[in-house]
Amino acid sequence: MVSSAGSGASRYVVGVDFGTLSGRAVVVRVSDGEELGSAVSEYSHGVMDDRLDATGAALPPDWALQVPDDYRDVLRTAVPAAVKAAGIDPSDVIGIGTDFTACTMVPVLADGTPLCEVPQFKERPHAYVKLWKHHAAQPQADRINELARERGEPWLERYGGQISSEWEFAKGLQLFEEDPGVYDAMDHWIEAADWIIWQLCGTYVRNACTAGYKGIYQDGAYPTEDFLGALNPGFASFAEDKVAHEIGALGSRAGSLTEEAAKWTGLPAGIAVAVGNVDAHVTAPAAQAVEPGQMVAIMGTSTCHVVNGAELAQVPGMCGVVDGGIVDGLWGFEAGQSGVGDIFGWYVANQVPEEYSRAAEEAGIGLHDHLTRLAFAEPVGAHGLVALDWHSGNRSVLVNHELSGVVAGLTLQTRPEHVYRALLEATAFGTRVILEAFADSGAPVTEFIVAGGLLTNTELMQCYSDVLGLPVSTIASEQGPALGSAIHAAVAAGAYPDIRSASEAMGRVNRAVYTPDKERGQAYDALYREYVALHDYFGRGGNDVMKRLKAIRREALS
Amino acid sequence: MVSSAGSGASRYVVGVDFGTLSGRAVVVRVSDGEELGSAVSEYSHGVMDDRLDATGAALPPDWALQVPDDYRDVLRTAVPAAVKAAGIDPSDVIGIGTDFTACTMVPVLADGTPLCEVPQFKERPHAYVKLWKHHAAQPQADRINELARERGEPWLERYGGQISSEWEFAKGLQLFEEDPGVYDAMDHWIEAADWIIWQLCGTYVRNACTAGYKGIYQDGAYPTEDFLGALNPGFASFAEDKVAHEIGALGSRAGSLTEEAAKWTGLPAGIAVAVGNVDAHVTAPAAQAVEPGQMVAIMGTSTCHVVNGAELAQVPGMCGVVDGGIVDGLWGFEAGQSGVGDIFGWYVANQVPEEYSRAAEEAGIGLHDHLTRLAFAEPVGAHGLVALDWHSGNRSVLVNHELSGVVAGLTLQTRPEHVYRALLEATAFGTRVILEAFADSGAPVTEFIVAGGLLTNTELMQCYSDVLGLPVSTIASEQGPALGSAIHAAVAAGAYPDIRSASEAMGRVNRAVYTPDKERGQAYDALYREYVALHDYFGRGGNDVMKRLKAIRREALS
């Protein structure tokens, strides 16, 4: 499948994964996806969530800003370092691709200059990058959702019935209402995923992924002027003036590496720069999961599920469905669980006594491993517990962040490892609820492929396989997103005709590492029924105690 | 009120509290209840729950036996040691009273000899004392309850609708069915509370308290021959042959100290020996809680509630109501919470991380105190949690030991002290449910008086006062039961005309140490409503998940 190079020498691509605190560059061989070298660059400003570095002024609650030049630093340092670590000749690199956190937004001038780099705005918080976890636009998101429901806006069901405060329109409306000066000066309200591509090739192309999932771009249109004007009259032209722009398909070529970017990266000017992408979605081809029904779950502190479908389907509680949102030519579905590894981490930090830390230390293993070993030494159901994994709210399928966690079945015989296992199982049950929603909506999941840090917990993986009744495959790369970006670079460079063929050659997956055990599966079925009963009772209006407890808590602390 | 002594010298009584693992004797001044000296004697055989000491043979699950001579040892060692510690002249002691765990049963010959002391039976487990927590008669209790419900036996509602496996008839039926030889040789099936009195004064008198609460003695009768014969034909005459005997009112004189018991105890032969009693019930006069509506809560690992009423009332889920069951002339009501301090202890042992132990150590306080301080530094409801205190099942008012504990409202912000406080509050809410059941049944509780180890937690006491909306008084003795026994001894000796007057002179209580705060009370009301909603959902058939989880657990471990 590899296009032959004149010299017969190996050719390479660079994938760069822009995370929350750092960027990672990986050099990958085009022919087989071998990862030859990588390097990481931490953002020197990190996340500004309490004060603005430029002035020292305090930021309001729920803000999270970044400095865009930190992203350029990744190009200037991590990329050349990765090339050096790979020991290759930079002139053999034929393309570069990137993925980014999303929705992370940059207000820029017509030439792509971030407003925070314009002297007159550098002391204005709204001139900076609003990171994905900037949650201060919740009031705006609430208004968008309320109005969209009232008016029966057709795009709402493409997002499981809810637009997030993290996304382009909520953050844009906040900017418009809180700092009109910055808003007026801004020519484009642009995803960092696209801004970095602009920095690399001098061309602004919106990627189909964020445009769809975060930018409410559906069936070739954004929300109407009429709708936006009803939110706020001055906001009517927001989509047209600040957002709308040429859309690029994933894996297509956004442009060629500029002389300036060639100097930053040490790569040859003129090589292919792929259209931007998002960390979760770009991982699908890295895990060879580009066919309909192959779901990739990126399991870390939270879990993001991405899966392609041949047909459009409305899955209740999904995060979104976007035409070409994962792979061009298919409908890309996204769902999520708000808390997964975060919950396990919380439990270990807050609910496990000293003797367990000691025992883990003596065994020379981590506390998570120690608890996992103890917990899974017992048969399914021996702990007598069922938990709800909503410590961080519920994204799919309930889309309700006022929900919270539950543990039921506690007795004086309950040990710490019992609750730990119940929490692990609860996240598997939560995944099963999502998969059943997909199946019920006509978009069945046939294979479950795990990427992300939690795949190293083999007991957890087996538990997922048993609970889901599906084989569980695992990505065979430790840097899935960067590998995915490199795959997109290879396609953009013309080394492969499409993402599907590049994924087949360069993606890395261990297929069906875990297969479901029938007996354990049946035992989990019984616990799953209990999970679903509590899920529906607490999550579908049987008892809104969780919402009231949060209100009581806010009132008490106010 | 004190009868004058010829010499004008002080006179004393001895109270002896027979607990689960040891007996404690206290010497008390008759005139004012001053406690002058005490001593403890551990039972040398403790609790036999895995094997029989006499043979080394394993015991089945849920058995718990004791050796009656260990009780005599308390008379032989703790009583003289207490007298010595008090520094009094033994000849100034005018009476002795006792209280015991219940229902703790001894099979004896006509002369009071325990069958385990008869050589031919000493290797037979059924010849030994069945301690209160011998739970192996559950199948028999189930049959008793089922049959009583079927036949509409009138006494069933006096026990909140359920006879316990701990009580006389269930244990007696187990003995009859499992070891007919011992059953046939047994002349009396007798409470240890009464057996110890027999040892002291040579007379067998059944005390009104255990006869009523544990012996199903109501309105002058036991369950009928017809009923008992329907359980098992050979068991028809059980009540008549093995149980029925003269009943003695609490505080009356069972007899006079024998020469032999005088030798054991070092006390004068011929002094008054009070009718037997039970640890919880005997505490009421010690806490000056002998009027209708004054509830004493003995709060330790579990809580036992005792309160007098002028009229008979059927309180759903109470443990029992007995005429003269606490104070002669009034109806004594008993209720209970299966797990209280036990739950807090479980939590601290299993769910609190190292840094808390360290911090407590550095502060020079216990972990419970440390958590309490942290937890109650925040306003009511700030933790955002509600818990169900059913880790050990629910005695009152649901009478269901298949129930289990719940914590709801967990988030990634939840700290260990938050859950700890939610558990403390849950026990207060559980108490409020009981008090509301009493009020709804026409037996309102007007004062809440705490005895037992948990009264030292001042934040917990304030929480109970706020939640219950009642003043909380605390007993001013650290050995409430033994003081209560001494009060009974003083009445039996004629030093006071009745328990009421003796309680007034000798009882010790700090009245209304805690009074409810209106604002906190209203905040707790909101949490209490959530508690009640979950209580009824999980406890009254809305979702029998807890029962199913226990079944799943048993199946998994079988």
Side-chain angles (χ1 to χ4, degrees), chain A residues 346 382 405 410 414 530 548 553, chain B residues 382 405 410 414 530 548 553:
Chain A
W346 165 82
L410 296 163
T414 304
E530 303 303 342
R548 290 190 297 271
R553 172 173 158 81
Chain B
L410 296 163
T414 303
E530 304 303 342
R548 289 189 298 270
R553 171 172 157 81

Side-chain angles (χ1 to χ4, degrees), chain B residues 44 310 352 436 486 513 544:
Chain B
S44 61
V352 179
E436 292 188 353
V513 182
D544 285 336

Side-chain angles (χ1 to χ4, degrees), chain B residues 109-453:
Chain B
L109 297 177
D111 66 354
T113 305
L115 286 183
C116 60
E117 294 179 4
V118 176
Q120 72 186 99
F121 293 121
K122 73 174 186 195
E123 301 188 350
R124 305 268 276 268
H126 275 292
Y128 285 78
V129 177
K130 287 191 168 65
L131 185 62
W132 65 275
K133 66 178 177 177
H134 173 95
H135 285 134
Q138 190 61 52
Q140 285 80 11
D142 292 344
R143 284 160 53 203
I144 292 170
N145 286 314
E146 196 178 339
L147 186 65
R149 273 191 290 271
E150 256 172 40
R151 295 168 50 110
E153 294 293 336
W155 38 263
L156 194 60
E157 64 181 7
R158 296 280 172 89
Y159 302 98
Q162 189 139 316
I163 302 301
S164 168
S165 71
E166 294 183 3
W167 297 351
E168 298 185 8
F169 280 68
K171 280 175 171 155
L173 183 55
Q174 186 200 6
L175 169 51
F176 168 73
E177 294 181 337
E178 295 182 6
D179 194 341
V182 167
Y183 184 84
D184 289 343
M186 165 176 91
D187 288 302
H188 300 291
W189 183 230
I190 171 179
E191 290 274 354
D194 297 327
W195 180 81
I196 199 70
I197 298 303
W198 197 344
Q199 301 305 298
L200 284 166
C201 69
T203 311
Y204 175 27
V205 181
R206 277 172 72 73
N207 74 84
C209 179
T210 53
Y213 289 108
K214 317 297 180 187
I216 323 187
Y217 182 72
Q218 291 286 351
D219 304 327
Y222 293 98
T224 61
E225 285 205 7
D226 192 41
F227 174 81
L228 298 172
L231 283 173
N232 191 319
F235 197 62
S237 62
F238 170 71
E240 184 61 26
D241 287 357
K242 313 288 188 185
V243 174
H245 203 79
E246 180 197 347
I247 309 280
L250 302 181
S252 65
R253 181 172 182 139
S256 304
L257 196 69
T258 61
E259 290 291 343
E260 185 180 25
K263 271 184 214 144
W264 293 340
T265 58
L267 300 176
I271 62 169
V273 177
V275 161
N277 211 328
V278 175
D279 42 15
H281 303 70
V282 81
T283 303
Q288 292 189 339
V290 294
E291 300 300 330
Q294 294 183 313
M295 176 177 274
V296 177
I298 298 95
M299 294 178 61
T301 53
S302 63
T303 292
C304 181
H305 312 83
V306 292
V307 60
N308 287 294
E311 306 291 339
L312 174 62
Q314 310 297 352
V315 184
M318 68 181 164
C319 305
V321 55
V322 170
D323 188 7
I326 302 170
V327 175
D328 197 41
L330 292 171
W331 287 91
F333 296 85
E334 183 187 343
Q337 289 174 265
S338 315
V340 180
D342 258 0
I343 299 176
F344 313 153
W346 165 82
Y347 185 75
V348 160
N350 287 283
Q351 300 271 265
V352 179
E354 185 170 0
E355 62 185 279
Y356 284 73
S357 327
R358 291 265 163 79
E361 216 166 284
E362 275 168 31
I365 57 178
L367 195 40
H368 283 283
D369 287 340
H370 179 60
L371 286 166
T372 299
R373 275 188 202 176
L374 290 174
F376 285 91
E378 292 195 1
V380 179
H383 54 38
L385 300 171
V386 63
L388 292 177
D389 52 321
W390 301 346
H391 298 59
S392 210
N394 178 294
R395 173 63 220 178
S396 302
V397 300
L398 297 171
V399 200
N400 186 343
H401 287 276
E402 294 290 283
L403 297 178
S404 51
V406 171
V407 182
L410 296 163
T411 73
L412 301 181
Q413 283 72 50
T414 303
R415 300 275 83 84
E417 61 270 29
H418 296 156
V419 180
Y420 184 76
R421 178 168 177 173
L423 293 172
L424 266 57
E425 291 170 353
T427 67
F429 295 148
T431 301
R432 181 163 163 182
V433 169
I434 292 169
L435 265 58
E436 292 188 353
F438 273 87
D440 292 347
S441 306
V445 171
T446 51
E447 189 184 355
F448 193 78
I449 302 153
V450 178

Side-chain angles (χ1 to χ4, degrees), chain A residues 1 18 40 70 91 108 114 118 147 156-157 173 180 199 220 273 329 429 457 466-467 477 492 498 517:
Chain A
M1 263 311 188
F18 289 87
V40 174
D70 288 347
S91 68
V108 299
V118 176
L147 187 65
L156 194 61
E157 65 182 7
L173 183 56
Q199 301 305 299
V273 177
F429 296 147
N457 185 332
D466 294 338
V467 167
S477 165
D498 55 24
D517 176 85

